[in-house]
Amino acid sequence: MAKQRVPKGPSVLTANDLLTGTIVYWTGDDWSASMHDALRADDEASRAALEAAARTEEDANRVVGAYLFALDPETGAPVALRERQRLGGPSIILPISTPRAA
Amino acid sequence: MWLLETDGSFTRDDDIATGLEIPGEAPPAERPADPVVTIRFGGAMDGRGFSTANRLRAEGYDGRLIAAGPLMPDQARHAFQSGFDAVLVSDAQVQRQGEDAWRNAIHRSVQELYMPEPGSRGPERGIWAARHAD
Amino acid sequence: MYQYDGHDQAFVAARAAEFRDQVARRLAGQLSEDEFKPLRLKNGLYLQLHAYMLRVAIPYGVLSSGQMRTLAHLADNYDRGYGHFTTRQNIQYNWTELKDVPDMLDILAEAGMHAIQTSGNCIRNVTTDAFAGAAGDEEVDPRATCELLRQWSSLHPEFAFLPRKFKIAVIGAAEDRAAMKFHDIGLRAKPDVQRPRYDIWVGGGQGRTPRVAQLFEADVPFERLLPTLDAMMRVYNLHGRRDNKYKARIKILVAEMGLDAYRDEVYADMAERDPAAFAVAGKEYDRIAAFFDRGPVAPIDDVPVAGEGAFAEWLDQNVSAHKVPGHAVVTISLKAKGAIPGDATGEEMRLVADLADDYSAGEIRVTHRQNLVLPFVPQSALATLYGRLVEAGLATGNVGLTSDIISCPGLDYCALATARSIPIAQALSDRLREREAKARAAGVTVKGPTLNISGCINACGHHHAANIGILGLTKAEEESYQITLGGRADGGAAVGEILGPGFTAEEVPDAVEKIIEAWEANRLEGESFTDAYQRLGKAVFKAAVYEEAPRVAA
Ligand code: SF4
C-alpha cells in the first residue's frame, strides 16, 4: 500500500495484524480491534510518537501497513471514505446469511 | 561477501572475482569478452537482470555470470534458470535473511519447471522433456 | 478435462511447500514486508481492507466437481462460508488468515489446484471462452493451448518480476466470449493441418488507459507460438516502463514504441535463438489436446425442450447450443435479484458439484461474467436440472440480460477501491429484474445492454468494456459514480465513453434506467445498444439523463 501522509489534525494509528490480517488500532501500548480503544493524537508531538510506534511495531513483525489517519475534530469519526468503510466492515449482508431470492 | 553456486554451496569469501560489472537494466550492445561478468540488479522487483542474463547466453556468452544486488533467496533459482552461475550476497543480506535461507534456497524452491529456459544452469531438466523422453 | 499426472502433482505440492517456508521466514522477520509482498502476491495472497484475501486459480475457468467441493470446503472451513468468482475466472476468499494459507494450499494441491500467479507482476492465469469444447461455433478448442501456456508460464524464472501484471486470453471461435482484445496478449486459435495456428494480438487492456489490442502477427504456426511469446515477453520485461505503475503495462510500451518498432525488437530477439529449444512443446500440446479431444459426451438424439413462464425464460437465456447433438450448455446465473454478483456459498458450490456429477459429466466452468456453467447437459435432463436449481434459488433466467451484472468487490473489500460497487450492483439488479419481468410478460424481447461496475480505475469489473459501464470514485470523501457508454467486449471490442458528470449512489439506478429507456425509444427494429449508440451519438443519452431533475426514488 502507498505510504500515506501524516495527517495534520487529530488522528489515530491503524494497521492490519500480520498473522490474521484483522484491522487493528493502536492503544498506546498494544493493538485493539476496536477504534474506541485507539489512542488519539491531537498535536504534532503525539502524532510523531504514533509514527514511531508504527515503525517499531512493523519492525517487530506484529502488524503490516501501519499508518495514521485523520479524525473529524468535532465528531471524532474518520474523515476519509476509505477509513469509514474500513471501520464499518462490509456494508452489505454477507451471502452466507441471506437465502437467495428466486 | 557470500556466493551461492548452482550446486547449492554457499560460502563467504572476502576476495571474490566479479569481473566486468554491468547493470541489469539492459543487455550490453556487444557480447563481453571477459571471462566473468557480474550483472547488478537495481532492486529485487526489477526482473530485467534475468532477461539480460538470458540474452547474453542466447548470444553465446559462455563465461561465468554472477547476479548481484538486493535479491532474495527465493530468487536464486530464477537467477540460475535464467543463465547465471552464481549469486553474490552481501553480509548484511545474509545476516537479515538468514544464512540458512540462502543455504537452502535451491532445495526449498520449486526446482523442476515444465520447460527450462534455453541457457538455464538448472537445477532442472524439464517436465516436458521427462514426459516425452523416448 | 485435463488430468494432473505425477509431475503436475509434485509441482503444485512443491509450490505449496515453498510458500509455507516463505510464510515462516516472514514471521521470523527474515523476509521484510517489502520482500514478502511480491512473493505472497505471486501466490494470490492480498492484504485487503479487512483481511487477507486468497485468490485461487481456476485455470481457464475449468473445474471438476471434486475440485468444486474442495473450494466449498475451503469456503466453509477457512472463510466465512462463501467465495467470490472473479472476472478472471478465478475464485477469491475474503476472510483468510496468513497462518492458515499454507494449509489451504496443501488442500488445493491435493485436488490438483493452486494459487500460482493469480496476482503479482507476472503472467497471470490464462483465460478463455467459458463455452470452450462445447460451443456450437467453435473451430479449435482453446483449452489445450491454455493448459500449454499454464505449464510454460508457471513459475517462469525470467518473467516473474515484470514491470506489471500480464494477462493472456485464448479463443478458438468466431464469437469472442473472453474479451480477448482487452488482454496484454490475446490469441485467436484457428484450425490447421496438425496443430492450430494463431493470430497474436498485443497491447489490449483496461485500467486507467483502456486499449483494444492490435494485431501483432496473423497465422503464426504452432511451432513459432512459444518462441514468439517468449521473445514478446522478454522485450516487454527489458523495455516496459518501471518508473510509473500506471504506464508499466505492455499497452503503453507498444503505444510509446509503436507496434512496428516493438515487432522489430521481438523478431531481433528471436533471430538470436534456436527455436529447437521449444520443439518438445509440440508433443506436449498433443498430449494435452488428447484430454480434450476425448469429449466426455457422445451424440444422442436431439430432444425438443419447451416450457412456460420462468422455465421458458431460463431456457431462452441460460441454455445455449452445444456442438454435440442432443446436448446443451447451461449457465447458472449468480445474479439473482439483489444478489452479490459472483458470490456463492459453500452450500451452493456443493450443490453445483452434485448437479455437475448428475447432468454434466462432472465438469463445471466459471465465466468471466461471474457465472457458472454446466457444459455437457443432455437436453432430456434440462427440466429436471431446472427444478433442482429452482429449489436452490439458482434458477434466475437472466444470462445475457442487463441484470447479469459484472461487479468487482469494490470498497466493501478491496484495499485499492475508491467506492463501493456491490451495493450499486444490488440496487440495479432489483430495478432491472423488475423491468425484465415486465418486458417478458408483455412479450417483448428484453436482450439489453451489458452492465459492468468497477470500484476504481483498475477496472477489474470491466466497466470500460460494457455497453453501460459504471466506475466508482471518491469525490470529496464521498462516493461518486461515473457512467460510460458504448463499450464492447466482443469481437468488435470498444472502450466506453464518459457520459457526463458523476452520480451519487442513489441516483445511479434512475440514470441507468433512463439510458435504457432512451435506447428503447430511439432504436431501430432489432438494433443493439452499441449500434444505436454509434448511430445516435452521446447527445441523445446525455439529454435523457441530465435534462430533467432526477426522480425521487419511491
Ligand atoms: S476495480 Fe478497483 S476496487 Fe474493484 S477489485 Fe479492482 S482494484 Fe479493487
mmCIF file with all atom_site columns, all heavy atoms in Angstrom, chain B residues 35-51:
data_model
loop_
_atom_site.group_PDB
_atom_site.id
_atom_site.type_symbol
_atom_site.label_atom_id
_atom_site.label_alt_id
_atom_site.label_comp_id
_atom_site.label_asym_id
_atom_site.label_entity_id
_atom_site.label_seq_id
_atom_site.pdbx_PDB_ins_code
_atom_site.Cartn_x
_atom_site.Cartn_y
_atom_site.Cartn_z
_atom_site.occupancy
_atom_site.B_iso_or_equiv
_atom_site.pdbx_formal_charge
_atom_site.auth_seq_id
_atom_site.auth_comp_id
_atom_site.auth_asym_id
_atom_site.auth_atom_id
_atom_site.pdbx_PDB_model_num
ATOM 1   N N   . PRO B 1 35 ? 35.980 -13.130 -18.961 1.00 0.00 ? 35 PRO B N   1
ATOM 2   C CA  . PRO B 1 35 ? 35.614 -14.483 -18.522 1.00 0.00 ? 35 PRO B CA  1
ATOM 3   C C   . PRO B 1 35 ? 34.558 -14.460 -17.407 1.00 0.00 ? 35 PRO B C   1
ATOM 4   O O   . PRO B 1 35 ? 33.865 -15.450 -17.218 1.00 0.00 ? 35 PRO B O   1
ATOM 5   C CB  . PRO B 1 35 ? 36.921 -15.082 -18.013 1.00 0.00 ? 35 PRO B CB  1
ATOM 6   C CG  . PRO B 1 35 ? 37.801 -13.922 -17.707 1.00 0.00 ? 35 PRO B CG  1
ATOM 7   C CD  . PRO B 1 35 ? 37.390 -12.808 -18.626 1.00 0.00 ? 35 PRO B CD  1
ATOM 8   N N   . VAL B 1 36 ? 34.488 -13.342 -16.663 1.00 0.00 ? 36 VAL B N   1
ATOM 9   C CA  . VAL B 1 36 ? 33.472 -13.228 -15.611 1.00 0.00 ? 36 VAL B CA  1
ATOM 10  C C   . VAL B 1 36 ? 32.716 -11.921 -15.807 1.00 0.00 ? 36 VAL B C   1
ATOM 11  O O   . VAL B 1 36 ? 33.324 -10.874 -16.013 1.00 0.00 ? 36 VAL B O   1
ATOM 12  C CB  . VAL B 1 36 ? 34.118 -13.219 -14.198 1.00 0.00 ? 36 VAL B CB  1
ATOM 13  C CG1 . VAL B 1 36 ? 33.030 -13.112 -13.122 1.00 0.00 ? 36 VAL B CG1 1
ATOM 14  C CG2 . VAL B 1 36 ? 34.963 -14.483 -13.981 1.00 0.00 ? 36 VAL B CG2 1
ATOM 15  N N   . VAL B 1 37 ? 31.381 -12.016 -15.762 1.00 0.00 ? 37 VAL B N   1
ATOM 16  C CA  . VAL B 1 37 ? 30.548 -10.816 -15.852 1.00 0.00 ? 37 VAL B CA  1
ATOM 17  C C   . VAL B 1 37 ? 29.565 -10.817 -14.688 1.00 0.00 ? 37 VAL B C   1
ATOM 18  O O   . VAL B 1 37 ? 28.933 -11.837 -14.407 1.00 0.00 ? 37 VAL B O   1
ATOM 19  C CB  . VAL B 1 37 ? 29.775 -10.764 -17.189 1.00 0.00 ? 37 VAL B CB  1
ATOM 20  C CG1 . VAL B 1 37 ? 28.745 -9.627  -17.171 1.00 0.00 ? 37 VAL B CG1 1
ATOM 21  C CG2 . VAL B 1 37 ? 30.726 -10.603 -18.365 1.00 0.00 ? 37 VAL B CG2 1
ATOM 22  N N   . THR B 1 38 ? 29.510 -9.690  -13.982 1.00 0.00 ? 38 THR B N   1
ATOM 23  C CA  . THR B 1 38 ? 28.536 -9.551  -12.889 1.00 0.00 ? 38 THR B CA  1
ATOM 24  C C   . THR B 1 38 ? 27.434 -8.601  -13.327 1.00 0.00 ? 38 THR B C   1
ATOM 25  O O   . THR B 1 38 ? 27.699 -7.487  -13.760 1.00 0.00 ? 38 THR B O   1
ATOM 26  C CB  . THR B 1 38 ? 29.243 -9.023  -11.622 1.00 0.00 ? 38 THR B CB  1
ATOM 27  O OG1 . THR B 1 38 ? 30.149 -10.041 -11.174 1.00 0.00 ? 38 THR B OG1 1
ATOM 28  C CG2 . THR B 1 38 ? 28.228 -8.742  -10.513 1.00 0.00 ? 38 THR B CG2 1
ATOM 29  N N   . ILE B 1 39 ? 26.209 -9.091  -13.229 1.00 0.00 ? 39 ILE B N   1
ATOM 30  C CA  . ILE B 1 39 ? 25.049 -8.268  -13.595 1.00 0.00 ? 39 ILE B CA  1
ATOM 31  C C   . ILE B 1 39 ? 24.398 -7.781  -12.317 1.00 0.00 ? 39 ILE B C   1
ATOM 32  O O   . ILE B 1 39 ? 23.998 -8.595  -11.463 1.00 0.00 ? 39 ILE B O   1
ATOM 33  C CB  . ILE B 1 39 ? 24.049 -9.080  -14.445 1.00 0.00 ? 39 ILE B CB  1
ATOM 34  C CG1 . ILE B 1 39 ? 24.715 -9.508  -15.761 1.00 0.00 ? 39 ILE B CG1 1
ATOM 35  C CG2 . ILE B 1 39 ? 22.769 -8.280  -14.693 1.00 0.00 ? 39 ILE B CG2 1
ATOM 36  C CD1 . ILE B 1 39 ? 23.831 -10.379 -16.650 1.00 0.00 ? 39 ILE B CD1 1
ATOM 37  N N   . ARG B 1 40 ? 24.321 -6.464  -12.171 1.00 0.00 ? 40 ARG B N   1
ATOM 38  C CA  . ARG B 1 40 ? 23.776 -5.910  -10.925 1.00 0.00 ? 40 ARG B CA  1
ATOM 39  C C   . ARG B 1 40 ? 22.307 -5.551  -11.099 1.00 0.00 ? 40 ARG B C   1
ATOM 40  O O   . ARG B 1 40 ? 21.943 -4.776  -11.974 1.00 0.00 ? 40 ARG B O   1
ATOM 41  C CB  . ARG B 1 40 ? 24.582 -4.685  -10.491 1.00 0.00 ? 40 ARG B CB  1
ATOM 42  C CG  . ARG B 1 40 ? 24.156 -4.130  -9.136  1.00 0.00 ? 40 ARG B CG  1
ATOM 43  C CD  . ARG B 1 40 ? 25.207 -3.236  -8.514  1.00 0.00 ? 40 ARG B CD  1
ATOM 44  N NE  . ARG B 1 40 ? 26.402 -3.981  -8.095  1.00 0.00 ? 40 ARG B NE  1
ATOM 45  C CZ  . ARG B 1 40 ? 26.525 -4.645  -6.944  1.00 0.00 ? 40 ARG B CZ  1
ATOM 46  N NH1 . ARG B 1 40 ? 25.515 -4.675  -6.091  1.00 0.00 ? 40 ARG B NH1 1
ATOM 47  N NH2 . ARG B 1 40 ? 27.631 -5.291  -6.647  1.00 0.00 ? 40 ARG B NH2 1
ATOM 48  N N   . PHE B 1 41 ? 21.463 -6.138  -10.230 1.00 0.00 ? 41 PHE B N   1
ATOM 49  C CA  . PHE B 1 41 ? 20.029 -5.842  -10.247 1.00 0.00 ? 41 PHE B CA  1
ATOM 50  C C   . PHE B 1 41 ? 19.779 -4.536  -9.503  1.00 0.00 ? 41 PHE B C   1
ATOM 51  O O   . PHE B 1 41 ? 20.312 -4.325  -8.412  1.00 0.00 ? 41 PHE B O   1
ATOM 52  C CB  . PHE B 1 41 ? 19.244 -6.963  -9.551  1.00 0.00 ? 41 PHE B CB  1
ATOM 53  C CG  . PHE B 1 41 ? 19.116 -8.217  -10.367 1.00 0.00 ? 41 PHE B CG  1
ATOM 54  C CD1 . PHE B 1 41 ? 20.230 -8.994  -10.647 1.00 0.00 ? 41 PHE B CD1 1
ATOM 55  C CD2 . PHE B 1 41 ? 17.884 -8.612  -10.861 1.00 0.00 ? 41 PHE B CD2 1
ATOM 56  C CE1 . PHE B 1 41 ? 20.115 -10.160 -11.408 1.00 0.00 ? 41 PHE B CE1 1
ATOM 57  C CE2 . PHE B 1 41 ? 17.757 -9.770  -11.624 1.00 0.00 ? 41 PHE B CE2 1
ATOM 58  C CZ  . PHE B 1 41 ? 18.868 -10.545 -11.897 1.00 0.00 ? 41 PHE B CZ  1
ATOM 59  N N   . GLY B 1 42 ? 18.917 -3.701  -10.069 1.00 0.00 ? 42 GLY B N   1
ATOM 60  C CA  . GLY B 1 42 ? 18.599 -2.421  -9.441  1.00 0.00 ? 42 GLY B CA  1
ATOM 61  C C   . GLY B 1 42 ? 17.727 -2.586  -8.201  1.00 0.00 ? 42 GLY B C   1
ATOM 62  O O   . GLY B 1 42 ? 17.734 -1.748  -7.303  1.00 0.00 ? 42 GLY B O   1
ATOM 63  N N   . GLY B 1 43 ? 16.969 -3.645  -8.135  1.00 0.00 ? 43 GLY B N   1
ATOM 64  C CA  . GLY B 1 43 ? 16.092 -3.897  -6.990  1.00 0.00 ? 43 GLY B CA  1
ATOM 65  C C   . GLY B 1 43 ? 15.554 -5.305  -7.103  1.00 0.00 ? 43 GLY B C   1
ATOM 66  O O   . GLY B 1 43 ? 15.623 -5.913  -8.176  1.00 0.00 ? 43 GLY B O   1
ATOM 67  N N   . ALA B 1 44 ? 15.004 -5.805  -5.996  1.00 0.00 ? 44 ALA B N   1
ATOM 68  C CA  . ALA B 1 44 ? 14.515 -7.184  -6.019  1.00 0.00 ? 44 ALA B CA  1
ATOM 69  C C   . ALA B 1 44 ? 13.331 -7.339  -6.976  1.00 0.00 ? 44 ALA B C   1
ATOM 70  O O   . ALA B 1 44 ? 13.086 -8.407  -7.510  1.00 0.00 ? 44 ALA B O   1
ATOM 71  C CB  . ALA B 1 44 ? 14.100 -7.615  -4.608  1.00 0.00 ? 44 ALA B CB  1
ATOM 72  N N   . MET B 1 45 ? 12.602 -6.243  -7.182  1.00 0.00 ? 45 MET B N   1
ATOM 73  C CA  . MET B 1 45 ? 11.425 -6.335  -8.050  1.00 0.00 ? 45 MET B CA  1
ATOM 74  C C   . MET B 1 45 ? 11.768 -6.094  -9.513  1.00 0.00 ? 45 MET B C   1
ATOM 75  O O   . MET B 1 45 ? 10.902 -6.185  -10.373 1.00 0.00 ? 45 MET B O   1
ATOM 76  C CB  . MET B 1 45 ? 10.376 -5.290  -7.632  1.00 0.00 ? 45 MET B CB  1
ATOM 77  C CG  . MET B 1 45 ? 9.748  -5.524  -6.284  1.00 0.00 ? 45 MET B CG  1
ATOM 78  S SD  . MET B 1 45 ? 9.339  -7.239  -6.059  1.00 0.00 ? 45 MET B SD  1
ATOM 79  C CE  . MET B 1 45 ? 10.645 -7.700  -4.937  1.00 0.00 ? 45 MET B CE  1
ATOM 80  N N   . ASP B 1 46 ? 13.000 -5.721  -9.776  1.00 0.00 ? 46 ASP B N   1
ATOM 81  C CA  . ASP B 1 46 ? 13.400 -5.380  -11.132 1.00 0.00 ? 46 ASP B CA  1
ATOM 82  C C   . ASP B 1 46 ? 13.947 -6.620  -11.828 1.00 0.00 ? 46 ASP B C   1
ATOM 83  O O   . ASP B 1 46 ? 15.113 -6.965  -11.678 1.00 0.00 ? 46 ASP B O   1
ATOM 84  C CB  . ASP B 1 46 ? 14.439 -4.262  -11.092 1.00 0.00 ? 46 ASP B CB  1
ATOM 85  C CG  . ASP B 1 46 ? 14.788 -3.763  -12.486 1.00 0.00 ? 46 ASP B CG  1
ATOM 86  O OD1 . ASP B 1 46 ? 14.476 -4.470  -13.477 1.00 0.00 ? 46 ASP B OD1 1
ATOM 87  O OD2 . ASP B 1 46 ? 15.378 -2.673  -12.587 1.00 0.00 ? 46 ASP B OD2 1
ATOM 88  N N   . GLY B 1 47 ? 13.113 -7.291  -12.592 1.00 0.00 ? 47 GLY B N   1
ATOM 89  C CA  . GLY B 1 47 ? 13.488 -8.557  -13.203 1.00 0.00 ? 47 GLY B CA  1
ATOM 90  C C   . GLY B 1 47 ? 14.277 -8.435  -14.497 1.00 0.00 ? 47 GLY B C   1
ATOM 91  O O   . GLY B 1 47 ? 14.489 -9.434  -15.180 1.00 0.00 ? 47 GLY B O   1
ATOM 92  N N   . ARG B 1 48 ? 14.720 -7.222  -14.838 1.00 0.00 ? 48 ARG B N   1
ATOM 93  C CA  . ARG B 1 48 ? 15.437 -7.087  -16.109 1.00 0.00 ? 48 ARG B CA  1
ATOM 94  C C   . ARG B 1 48 ? 16.740 -7.868  -16.128 1.00 0.00 ? 48 ARG B C   1
ATOM 95  O O   . ARG B 1 48 ? 17.165 -8.351  -17.173 1.00 0.00 ? 48 ARG B O   1
ATOM 96  C CB  . ARG B 1 48 ? 15.699 -5.602  -16.396 1.00 0.00 ? 48 ARG B CB  1
ATOM 97  C CG  . ARG B 1 48 ? 14.446 -4.869  -16.812 1.00 0.00 ? 48 ARG B CG  1
ATOM 98  C CD  . ARG B 1 48 ? 14.719 -3.413  -17.075 1.00 0.00 ? 48 ARG B CD  1
ATOM 99  N NE  . ARG B 1 48 ? 14.960 -2.674  -15.829 1.00 0.00 ? 48 ARG B NE  1
ATOM 100 C CZ  . ARG B 1 48 ? 15.052 -1.360  -15.760 1.00 0.00 ? 48 ARG B CZ  1
ATOM 101 N NH1 . ARG B 1 48 ? 14.973 -0.633  -16.861 1.00 0.00 ? 48 ARG B NH1 1
ATOM 102 N NH2 . ARG B 1 48 ? 15.252 -0.743  -14.595 1.00 0.00 ? 48 ARG B NH2 1
ATOM 103 N N   . GLY B 1 49 ? 17.371 -7.988  -14.946 1.00 0.00 ? 49 GLY B N   1
ATOM 104 C CA  . GLY B 1 49 ? 18.641 -8.716  -14.895 1.00 0.00 ? 49 GLY B CA  1
ATOM 105 C C   . GLY B 1 49 ? 18.504 -10.159 -15.373 1.00 0.00 ? 49 GLY B C   1
ATOM 106 O O   . GLY B 1 49 ? 19.428 -10.723 -15.967 1.00 0.00 ? 49 GLY B O   1
ATOM 107 N N   . PHE B 1 50 ? 17.336 -10.751 -15.137 1.00 0.00 ? 50 PHE B N   1
ATOM 108 C CA  . PHE B 1 50 ? 17.130 -12.137 -15.578 1.00 0.00 ? 50 PHE B CA  1
ATOM 109 C C   . PHE B 1 50 ? 17.133 -12.206 -17.108 1.00 0.00 ? 50 PHE B C   1
ATOM 110 O O   . PHE B 1 50 ? 17.732 -13.099 -17.707 1.00 0.00 ? 50 PHE B O   1
ATOM 111 C CB  . PHE B 1 50 ? 15.815 -12.694 -15.018 1.00 0.00 ? 50 PHE B CB  1
ATOM 112 C CG  . PHE B 1 50 ? 15.748 -12.718 -13.516 1.00 0.00 ? 50 PHE B CG  1
ATOM 113 C CD1 . PHE B 1 50 ? 14.723 -12.070 -12.835 1.00 0.00 ? 50 PHE B CD1 1
ATOM 114 C CD2 . PHE B 1 50 ? 16.722 -13.388 -12.777 1.00 0.00 ? 50 PHE B CD2 1
ATOM 115 C CE1 . PHE B 1 50 ? 14.668 -12.087 -11.445 1.00 0.00 ? 50 PHE B CE1 1
ATOM 116 C CE2 . PHE B 1 50 ? 16.673 -13.408 -11.387 1.00 0.00 ? 50 PHE B CE2 1
ATOM 117 C CZ  . PHE B 1 50 ? 15.643 -12.751 -10.721 1.00 0.00 ? 50 PHE B CZ  1
ATOM 118 N N   . SER B 1 51 ? 16.451 -11.237 -17.742 1.00 0.00 ? 51 SER B N   1
ATOM 119 C CA  . SER B 1 51 ? 16.411 -11.232 -19.205 1.00 0.00 ? 51 SER B CA  1
ATOM 120 C C   . SER B 1 51 ? 17.763 -10.857 -19.800 1.00 0.00 ? 51 SER B C   1
ATOM 121 O O   . SER B 1 51 ? 18.144 -11.350 -20.859 1.00 0.00 ? 51 SER B O   1
ATOM 122 C CB  . SER B 1 51 ? 15.332 -10.258 -19.713 1.00 0.00 ? 51 SER B CB  1
ATOM 123 O OG  . SER B 1 51 ? 14.049 -10.853 -19.615 1.00 0.00 ? 51 SER B OG  1
#
